[in-house]
Amino acid sequence: MSLWQSISDQLRGEIARGKWPPGTRLPPEAELAARFGVNRHTVRHATRVLADEGLLYSRRGAGVFVAATPVDYPLSERVRFHRNIELSGKVPGRTIDAIMTRPAGDAEAEALGLEPGQPVHVAEGVSLVDFKPVALFRSIYPAALVPDLPAALRQHDSVTQALRACGVADYQRLVTRISARTADAVQAGKLQLEPGDPLLRTEGLSQWQGQMVERALTWWAAERVTLTLPHQLS
Amino acid sequence: MSLWQSISDQLRGEIARGKWPPGTRLPPEAELAARFGVNRHTVRHATRVLADEGLLYSRRGAGVFVAATPVDYPLSERVRFHRNIELSGKVPGRTIDAIMTRPAGDAEAEALGLEPGQPVHVAEGVSLVDFKPVALFRSIYPAALVPDLPAALRQHDSVTQALRACGVADYQRLVTRISARTADAVQAGKLQLEPGDPLLRTEGLSQWQGQMVERALTWWAAERVTLTLPHQLS
DNA sequence: GTGGATTTGTTCGTATGTATC
DNA sequence: AGATACATACGAACAAATCCA
């Protein structure tokens, strides 16, 4: 792990544990650099990443500050459902309705950079927060890249862990598309909503070492979740 | 303007004009640095910003590539409705239903970092793409910071221009929150939808020189727009 | 398949500019 | 006005991943 990553993780932990409450100013970059025994650029790299995530913001001449607003479901470049939910102090969960392997459709093939008809794993289920349903998901993976994923998904609680078991260590979200639809009867039933209630639909494409590894479709119960986008401050 | 900004703008323009089609590799960083007469770090800063916007992605050891997928409405750190729409080759527009100045409510005051009761300007209207309504907006600004904004909004076509006329040169989006609702009769009428149709609701907070300058509430006709989040690749 | 060249990623050092306090 | 602190930009070196002969 790179230096800036470990510094970034350490600061994130300190902020989470309340060592730096919202609104407080962090020590100056030079001081942090001395504390971690690195160059000031390395500290800047670490704080820039945290600013990307929305935890920090910087003001030229003034300092680097801890952001005030806690977020609900941050869509940052590394989207991890379990970790996101755990960080907000709730209990993540998941049920799986179906896991299958079948030829890719046209849209799926294009999204994943495959030829139509090549095999993909598909997992469908419900995401839970504090044991209540918040979202339906349908995730699609190239079978050639992660042949043993179906077994791994059954074995592990989180997608991140299952992918790691298949050798995909650190995938990153390339893009997220957001739209909204109303729930049909089936969706409403699974999410304990009424038909016609609004759903947030996200389509996320994730990459690992230059290859597309996941196309994740998620339908969120809009009344139970707010997606937040932390933006960077350059 | 900083060097990395002008390089970033120039590359963005060349990509938009098709000089570097999707999928092609850009010249190596060293070559770009020589071309622009700057250090390699400066080129990296510029390309990192474009990667944040989703236009580029980099693969260690391989190169920097132009992303394949065009995006619809990118919610990057500098959200500009007019520019976004123009870049996608369509005609942006706007009607204003009301501009008023009134004391801030509690939620507005907190979002903008004001005391409740301090005056804010409020602008409400409809955003158009190719002369068809796509979104309702309600934008709120601290009156003390931009006292002449109401006149400027009437005079200019875009919020960006109006704010610049009031001395706010380069505001940045701090955070965007996304949720979904169904349209009521009034919203449906203004957006030429049916009541009950899904709306995407975004709340954006923007900052300029450490001060909150805008709280923008937008209700998008979900069937007419897809919001996209380009993520960064570190 | 291997080795060398290429290319991006990380880290250091240094200097100057600019906004804030 | 001076000190502090972040922003920008330069240069150098090495690591790590990729690519190609």
Side-chain angles (χ1 to χ4, degrees):
Chain A
M1 183 183 289
S2 53
L3 282 175
W4 67 261
Q5 271 182 321
S6 62
I7 293 172
S8 168
D9 281 350
Q10 192 159 340
L11 290 175
R12 189 189 292 108
E14 291 178 2
I15 293 167
R17 286 193 302 277
K19 176 169 178 179
W20 313 105
T24 55
R25 206 194 72 183
L26 289 189
E29 291 171 348
E31 197 170 315
L32 288 176
R35 169 186 158 192
F36 291 110
V38 299
N39 190 273
R40 194 181 138 232
H41 285 310
T42 310
V43 168
R44 278 177 63 78
H45 197 158
T47 53
R48 181 176 62 76
V49 169
L50 295 179
D52 287 353
E53 296 180 9
L55 269 68
L56 301 177
Y57 63 93
S58 59
R59 285 173 46 209
R60 179 192 284 211
V64 178
F65 299 83
V66 179
T69 328
V71 292
D72 290 339
Y73 191 81
L75 293 173
S76 58
E77 80 278 13
R78 288 157 195 252
V79 184
R80 303 286 186 271
F81 179 80
H82 267 67
R83 187 164 154 278
N84 273 352
I85 301 304
E86 279 172 349
L87 282 177
S88 65
K90 300 182 189 303
V91 180
R94 184 197 63 181
T95 67
I96 293 186
D97 295 341
I99 297 182
M100 58 195 125
T101 303
R102 57 164 171 75
D106 287 353
E108 295 164 355
E110 181 181 349
L112 292 173
L114 303 173
E115 296 298 318
Q118 289 193 279
V120 291
H121 298 314
V122 182
E124 294 184 1
V126 184
S127 294
L128 312 172
V129 171
D130 286 345
F131 309 101
K132 295 194 318 192
V134 296
L136 308 176
F137 65 85
R138 178 192 295 153
S139 297
I140 297 144
Y141 309 87
L145 188 64
V146 284
D148 302 327
L149 187 66
L153 279 173
R154 290 194 182 86
Q155 197 172 351
H156 295 92
D157 280 339
S158 87
V159 172
T160 309
Q161 290 172 26
L163 283 173
R164 180 154 41 217
C166 295
V168 175
D170 185 35
Y171 60 101
Q172 288 201 359
R173 185 65 65 99
L174 251 185
V175 66
T176 304
R177 298 196 186 86
I178 304 171
S179 55
R181 297 285 181 273
T182 48
D184 62 28
V186 175
Q187 294 169 326
K190 290 184 177 178
L191 288 171
Q192 300 175 15
L193 297 172
E194 298 298 318
D197 282 351
L199 301 179
L200 273 168
R201 177 187 181 278
T202 60
E203 175 190 5
L205 298 176
S206 294
Q207 197 186 45
W208 174 70
Q209 298 192 348
Q211 295 180 76
M212 304 306 307
V213 292
E214 183 189 49
R215 176 183 189 232
L217 300 175
T218 310
W219 291 264
W220 306 83
E223 60 192 48
R224 298 191 193 135
V225 68
T226 299
L227 309 180
T228 63
L229 318 184
H231 294 291
Q232 81 180 88
L233 295 179
S234 61
Chain B
M1 185 185 289
S2 53
L3 281 175
W4 67 262
Q5 271 183 322
S6 60
I7 293 172
S8 169
D9 282 350
Q10 193 159 340
L11 289 175
R12 190 189 290 108
E14 292 178 359
I15 293 168
R17 286 193 303 277
K19 176 168 179 180
W20 312 106
T24 56
R25 209 194 71 185
L26 288 188
E29 292 169 348
E31 196 171 316
L32 288 176
R35 170 187 158 190
F36 291 112
V38 299
N39 189 272
R40 187 176 147 229
H41 284 309
T42 310
V43 169
R44 280 177 62 79
H45 196 159
T47 53
R48 181 176 62 74
V49 169
L50 295 179
D52 288 353
E53 296 180 10
L55 268 69
L56 301 177
Y57 64 93
S58 58
R59 284 173 47 212
R60 180 178 189 154
V64 178
F65 300 83
V66 179
T69 326
V71 293
D72 291 336
Y73 190 83
L75 293 173
S76 59
E77 79 278 12
R78 289 157 194 251
V79 184
R80 305 285 187 270
F81 179 79
H82 266 67
R83 186 164 155 278
N84 273 352
I85 301 303
E86 280 173 348
L87 282 178
S88 64
K90 300 182 189 304
V91 180
R94 186 196 62 183
T95 67
I96 293 186
D97 295 341
I99 297 181
M100 58 196 123
T101 304
R102 57 166 171 74
D106 286 353
E108 294 164 355
E110 182 180 348
L112 291 173
L114 303 173
E115 297 297 318
Q118 288 192 279
V120 290
H121 298 314
V122 181
E124 292 183 4
V126 184
S127 294
L128 311 172
V129 172
D130 286 347
F131 311 102
K132 294 194 318 194
V134 297
L136 307 176
F137 65 86
R138 177 192 295 152
S139 298
I140 297 142
Y141 310 87
L145 187 63
V146 283
D148 302 326
L149 186 66
L153 278 173
R154 290 194 182 86
Q155 197 171 350
H156 295 90
D157 281 339
S158 88
V159 171
T160 309
Q161 289 173 27
L163 283 172
R164 179 155 41 218
C166 296
V168 175
D170 186 34
Y171 59 102
Q172 287 200 0
R173 184 65 68 98
L174 250 186
V175 66
T176 305
R177 296 196 188 88
I178 304 172
S179 55
R181 298 284 180 270
T182 48
D184 63 28
V186 176
Q187 294 168 327
K190 289 184 178 177
L191 287 171
Q192 300 176 14
L193 297 172
E194 296 300 315
D197 282 350
L199 301 179
L200 273 169
R201 177 186 181 277
T202 61
E203 175 189 6
L205 298 176
S206 294
Q207 196 186 48
W208 174 71
Q209 298 190 348
Q211 296 179 77
M212 305 305 307
V213 292
E214 181 189 49
R215 176 183 190 234
L217 300 175
T218 309
W219 291 265
W220 306 83
E223 59 192 48
R224 296 188 195 137
V225 69
T226 299
L227 309 180
T228 64
L229 319 183
H231 295 292
Q232 83 181 85
L233 295 180
S234 62

